[in-house]
Amino acid sequence: MKVLFASSEVFPFSKTGGLADVSGSLPLALKEHGVDIYVISPFYKCVQEKFNISKIEQTFQIPLGTNTESCKILSTIHKNITFYFVKNDKFYYRDGLYTEGGKDYDDNASRFIFFSKAIAQFVNENNFNIVHLNDWQTALSAVFLKKVYNWQGKIVLTIHNLGYQGIFWVYDMPLTNLDWELFNPKLLEFYGNLNLLKGGIYTSDAITTVSPKYAKEILTEEFGFGLHGVLKDVEHKLYGILNGIDYEEWSPENDMFIKELYDEKTVTKGKKVCKEDLIKIYNLQDIKKPLFGIISRLVEQKGWDILIEAIEYLQKEDINIVVLGSGEAYFENTLKELQKKFEGMLGVYIGYDNALAHRIEAGADFFLMPSKYEPCGLNQMISMRYGTIPVVNPVGGLFDTVIDIYESKEGTGIRIKTYSVEGLIEGVKKAKELYQDPLKLARIRRRIMKLDFSWKASAKKYLELYKRLLSDAT
Ligand code: ADP
């Protein structure tokens, strides 16, 4: 079985969020299960600057509307896996991956239709049995493979976040060079626009999403972003497989970024040192107060509409909060203003900083994640590994991974009761109550640190799916 895993971001080469983590670790886990797997992603500026990759495997000319664009496929080996990179500097040699200054690049349709064409051509010219696509940036490859190349292999498409579908205006359709017949409601057309993810959903052999609960939620109007009907249509080929965590990257026993290493036995002492460190970084005043960490893209999905209001109120509650995030200008600016107002209690760092993310996971007592919707969410699983108790809105993967400590003896975190400012405040108050009971706190910390959210089990489920698809083909 030879598999090509295609993604628009792959850790450690490029990253804006969880997709990169998954694309960096799932292929490794599949390799350990014996799968002959390769990864392909764009050759962004950040990749060129950090890694010395120059081996050229193939060169194509790719039609894009009336133009022709050059494409080089480069390769390197990392952790025993071949990673391919699609090089076209006009499209990818930029400061951002998809956005700059909080604004999407104007030519994202061209950039990712081009990427999808490159993947399809590469797959067609090399003998893969399975191509595993991820999100809208690669979804159109399925349409090219099935409708243009009549490719006989099997296609899996994983939806990491249905909130992003690659919707562009109809005038971008010619960039695909596909027949206008394909611009129909059972493929690429979506309320008069071009929808790349929809095309991929209809043409792939299996659709997966990143948690069992989210696989159900996306069939409803509330979580379906207008595609719930389409997903209902393909429910027979829709699966929910929970993401895992790369414990080589995220473990307090072995983390080069944190002040003191610790494990289940030394968690109380270790976390104290890491908390002191974090308090200093953020210039906060009182180490005795419970410390809540937030690492998040600053977008509405992550609950910022209720968080902003709740933060104002929570300053009276004798707690500290540290935030690391970047995203929409409105949330960035509001947070900066709040920080000035609540200096010493609220710490805000606007930007992207992997080392600081590790130090927050280790130093915080609680991790706040009141997402409006959450396909899987990695941060709550990472937090648990660090003994940092998650406070979550139980949707999607947060529902699948966090059990309420007030509802079960085996509880692993705190679930807020309603998605609202009041619900969030109540959740934080419950966390505060727990903080005042050091024995219980220590017991829960030790319990959550022992949980296993590694990729092992999830990779096995993907492997079973690949096998099933290939056996259907024979
Ligand atoms: P999403 O993919 O929706 O952003 P996830 O919880 O699945 O959310 O994954 C987020 C990943 O991105 C985690 O590894 C998290 O630590 C990281 N991350 C998000 N924002 C930042 C940031 N500003 N700085 C460093 N890491 C970040």
Side-chain angles (χ1 to χ4, degrees):
M1 182 190 311
K2 190 173 169 188
V3 180
L4 183 69
F5 189 94
S7 174
S8 60
E9 51 184 279
V10 181
F11 187 80
F13 301 101
S14 52
K15 173 166 168 176
T16 68
L19 172 62
D21 291 323
V22 175
S23 307
S25 20
L26 173 57
L28 296 181
L30 282 162
K31 184 110 191 169
E32 274 169 28
H33 281 288
V35 179
D36 187 20
I37 191 158
Y38 302 76
V39 181
I40 190 164
S41 70
F43 200 44
Y44 296 112
K45 184 175 173 187
C46 60
V47 187
Q48 301 197 28
E49 283 178 349
K50 277 188 288 173
F51 298 86
N52 186 12
I53 301 167
S54 55
K55 187 173 174 212
I56 299 173
E57 297 282 346
Q58 262 177 286
T59 304
F60 309 136
Q61 293 299 319
I62 293 183
L64 201 66
T66 50
N67 294 337
T68 303
E69 296 290 342
S70 91
C71 163
K72 286 194 175 69
I73 307 283
L74 275 64
S75 78
T76 191
I77 295 177
H78 170 73
K79 293 196 175 173
N80 217 10
I81 288 189
T82 301
F83 285 75
Y84 295 110
F85 292 93
V86 174
K87 179 172 161 70
N88 175 302
D89 285 348
K90 187 173 101 185
F91 287 146
Y92 306 128
Y93 196 81
R94 301 185 186 181
D95 287 340
L97 267 54
Y98 320 114
T99 61
E100 218 172 298
K103 222 181 128 276
D104 284 357
Y105 288 122
D106 286 341
D107 58 348
N108 273 347
S110 299
R111 298 174 74 228
F112 292 103
I113 290 171
F114 173 82
F115 181 42
S116 300
K117 285 187 176 190
I119 296 165
Q121 186 157 347
F122 187 65
V123 167
N124 194 49
E125 292 184 15
N126 294 279
N127 49 342
F128 294 100
N129 310 99
I130 293 209
V131 51
H132 188 152
L133 305 173
N134 292 277
D135 278 350
W136 69 268
Q137 294 92 336
T138 58
L140 203 62
S141 308
V143 180
F144 296 125
L145 282 166
K146 290 277 167 97
K147 305 284 181 191
V148 179
Y149 295 112
N150 195 21
W151 187 63
Q152 296 301 306
K154 294 290 174 184
I155 304 174
V156 176
L157 170 64
T158 298
I159 299 173
H160 296 260
N161 190 334
L162 198 58
Y164 302 85
Q165 299 176 8
I167 300 175
F168 300 99
W169 69 345
V170 56
Y171 298 106
D172 283 329
M173 178 67 191
L175 292 172
T176 66
N177 302 84
L178 290 167
D179 197 308
W180 272 102
E181 259 183 30
L182 302 182
F183 191 75
N184 71 64
K186 286 282 178 198
L187 205 65
L188 290 167
E189 192 270 348
F190 183 70
Y191 298 103
N193 288 315
L194 171 67
N195 185 323
L196 304 184
L197 187 69
K198 184 176 171 184
I201 290 174
Y202 274 122
T203 36
S204 297
D205 298 289
I207 310 297
T208 70
T209 190
V210 288
S211 67
K213 179 75 171 173
Y214 192 60
K216 292 197 182 84
E217 288 173 345
I218 56 178
L219 302 175
T220 65
E221 196 174 345
E222 188 185 355
F223 293 98
F225 284 96
L227 283 186
H228 47 287
V230 171
L231 289 159
K232 266 261 169 223
D233 257 5
V234 300
E235 200 180 346
H236 61 279
K237 58 173 185 182
L238 174 65
Y239 307 87
I241 303 176
L242 193 73
N243 281 337
I245 293 297
D246 179 354
Y247 286 133
E248 265 186 41
E249 179 64 21
W250 296 103
S251 274
E253 302 97 278
N254 178 25
D255 184 324
M256 62 179 179
F257 298 113
I258 65 177
K259 197 85 182 169
E260 174 139 321
L261 301 179
Y262 61 90
D263 59 19
E264 293 135 50
K265 290 190 202 86
T266 53
V267 53
T268 305
K269 183 174 156 280
K271 271 186 105 44
K272 187 164 174 276
V273 177
C274 293
K275 185 172 174 181
E276 271 160 1
D277 174 50
L278 195 55
I279 293 265
K280 245 188 243 145
I281 296 172
Y282 276 100
N283 222 350
L284 301 179
Q285 282 156 1
D286 190 349
I287 188 162
K288 285 193 214 77
K289 290 183 186 174
L291 178 58
F292 290 77
I294 306 174
I295 306 165
S296 137
R297 289 181 294 117
L298 302 179
V299 294
E300 210 186 293
Q301 178 208 336
K302 299 292 179 182
W304 283 104
D305 51 347
I306 60 169
L307 263 168
I308 295 278
E309 242 187 283
I311 285 175
E312 288 250 4
Y313 173 87
L314 287 170
Q315 294 312 315
K316 297 186 217 108
E317 277 293 316
D318 247 7
I319 64 164
N320 286 325
I321 301 177
V322 292
V323 180
L324 165 63
S326 65
E328 286 171 21
Y330 169 76
F331 293 127
E332 291 191 355
N333 295 334
T334 312
L335 276 167
K336 279 186 208 152
E337 275 164 30
L338 281 175
Q339 179 181 28
K340 273 190 226 136
K341 200 164 151 192
F342 299 117
E343 222 183 297
M345 292 180 287
L346 170 68
V348 174
Y349 181 90
I350 301 292
Y352 188 90
D353 187 330
N354 186 43
L356 185 54
H358 282 253
R359 290 162 97 169
I360 293 176
E361 293 288 8
D365 296 301
F366 298 96
F367 193 90
L368 267 184
M369 212 164 161
S371 307
K372 190 174 270 176
Y373 73 94
E374 193 57 78
C376 177
L378 299 177
N379 271 319
Q380 80 282 15
M381 296 192 272
I382 295 172
S383 298
M384 291 194 253
R385 191 70 190 82
Y386 284 77
T388 305
I389 296 166
V391 179
V392 307
N393 181 32
V395 284
L398 297 171
F399 176 92
D400 288 327
T401 54
V402 179
I403 305 165
D404 195 286
I405 52 170
Y406 291 97
E407 282 169 16
S408 162
K409 280 201 188 109
E410 299 305 307
T412 57
I414 293 167
R415 289 177 168 194
I416 66 174
K417 290 277 167 285
T418 55
Y419 180 81
S420 64
V421 178
E422 298 72 38
L424 179 54
I425 290 169
E426 199 200 317
V428 170
K429 283 185 179 165
K430 279 187 185 163
K432 237 183 95 181
E433 199 183 304
L434 172 63
Y435 186 78
Q436 277 144 13
D437 186 345
L439 285 179
K440 191 171 175 191
L441 183 72
R443 202 168 58 240
I444 294 171
R445 279 177 174 166
R446 282 196 297 273
R447 178 188 308 152
I448 61 180
M449 287 180 78
K450 282 192 216 133
L451 298 173
D452 182 5
F453 292 110
S454 66
W455 271 105
K456 221 173 170 176
S458 313
K460 203 162 159 239
K461 291 192 176 130
Y462 280 106
L463 176 58
E464 280 159 12
L465 176 63
Y466 294 166
K467 282 185 178 160
R468 205 156 57 236
L469 291 173
L470 289 178
S471 71
D472 286 352
T474 53

